[in-house]
Amino acid sequence: AQTVTQSQPEMSVQEAETVTLSCTYDTSENNYYLFWYKQPPSRQMILVIRQEAYKQQNATENRFSVNFQKAAKSFSLKISDSQLGDTAMYFCAFMRGGSQGNLIFGKGTKLSVKP
Amino acid sequence: ETGVTQSPTHLIKTRGQQVTLRCSSQSGHNTVSWYQQALGQGPQFIFQYYREEENGRGNFPPRFSGLQFPNYSSELNVNALELDDSALYLCASSFFIGTAGNTIYFGEGSWLTVV
């Protein structure tokens, strides 16, 4: 069975600074996908970034980038130039290749961006 | 906007009652999945439907059931409600294209309180 672990229940960062959220996972699969989702107080789960396991290059989306270490089964999210609107719960999620909708989530990290 | 809408947004039910939650997926999405998110936890996969048939289920009892309709709408039904069923229920939809990973889009959720 796959598991996803987020070891930081809460993090805070000053506006305009950089913060890194950690995620580790456990799987015996070779084909899988990893995601970071953001859940603001409105509760809607918003996709931040996605990484295919077969790609060595780390995914980036504007201010968001990941450090994907496949051998170490680590998938951290770096947020650069943090903004107040980044304040939210962040969830790391795993999906087995070929799975249509079964995401396995970590428990989340609550990020607070301070002015 | 993800194009996934859910109703109702909030509801209160009594233990032992039955509830139906509804979801409208993005047009063209052939897969819908449902998640339960208890307070302070990450979402837990309940089940998924592909082309109107259930083809994956998490660790939830049979009193959790669903339907997917040809018009991209779906339902989650929960019978014999228990206090522990109090949670945010998230609907997610995607277009499954074989072994390629699909991006999953979430609705804003339905808050269920069981008293």
Side-chain angles (χ1 to χ4, degrees):
Chain A
Q2 293 84 15
T3 59
V4 176
T5 303
Q6 293 179 250
S7 59
Q8 305 152 315
E10 293 192 40
M11 295 277 286
S12 66
V13 63
Q14 291 296 127
E15 197 175 5
E17 294 191 345
T18 296
V19 64
T20 298
L21 309 183
S22 301
C23 172
T24 58
Y25 60 94
D26 189 23
T27 183
S28 58
E29 302 279 344
N30 197 44
N31 178 26
Y32 55 89
Y33 302 83
L34 297 164
F35 305 84
W36 279 97
Y37 279 89
K38 167 185 176 181
Q39 189 176 43
S42 67
R43 303 299 287 180
Q44 181 158 30
M45 201 73 75
I46 301 166
L47 179 65
V48 174
I49 200 164
R50 153 196 168 125
Q51 175 79 45
E52 290 84 351
Y54 61 85
K55 288 188 178 178
Q56 291 187 337
Q57 187 172 7
N58 290 323
T60 62
E61 284 289 339
N62 302 313
R63 298 183 294 108
F64 299 88
S65 61
V66 297
N67 182 5
F68 174 47
Q69 301 289 327
K70 190 172 182 179
K73 295 180 182 173
S74 170
F75 182 61
S76 60
L77 174 69
K78 185 171 83 171
I79 306 174
S80 304
D81 186 26
S82 297
Q83 300 175 0
L84 296 178
D86 294 334
T87 293
M89 285 291 293
Y90 285 81
F91 291 95
C92 178
F94 170 99
M95 184 170 72
R96 181 177 54 82
S99 169
Q100 295 165 243
N102 183 357
L103 285 164
I104 299 168
F105 286 89
K107 290 190 174 182
T109 296
K110 183 178 181 180
L111 176 67
S112 298
V113 180
K114 300 183 184 305
Chain B
E1 287 295 324
T2 65
V4 182
T5 58
Q6 294 186 242
S7 64
T9 53
H10 295 82
L11 71 166
I12 301 173
K13 288 287 189 177
T14 302
R15 189 171 49 182
Q17 285 187 317
Q18 179 265 346
V19 68
T20 297
L21 307 178
R22 293 180 172 84
C23 173
S24 178
S25 305
Q26 272 196 37
S27 177
H29 281 187
N30 56 13
T31 299
V32 65
S33 48
W34 286 87
Y35 292 78
Q36 180 195 68
Q37 186 177 17
L39 205 59
Q41 300 294 319
Q44 298 288 317
F45 173 72
I46 301 174
F47 49 55
Q48 70 191 25
Y49 278 78
Y50 173 64
R51 293 182 176 175
E52 302 166 44
E53 291 196 6
E54 182 183 310
N55 73 339
R57 173 176 279 265
N59 190 26
F60 281 82
R63 60 188 184 85
F64 286 78
S65 63
L67 288 170
Q68 183 187 25
F69 303 102
N71 65 351
Y72 310 116
S73 66
S74 63
E75 291 180 354
L76 164 66
N77 299 290
V78 187
N79 294 322
L81 284 166
E82 301 176 358
L83 297 179
D84 284 349
D85 295 333
S86 295
L88 179 70
Y89 288 85
L90 295 166
C91 172
S93 76
S94 62
F95 179 67
F96 179 63
I97 47 174
T99 56
N102 45 320
T103 296
I104 297 171
Y105 299 92
F106 285 83
E108 294 188 2
S110 293
W111 272 110
L112 171 64
T113 300
V114 182
V115 296

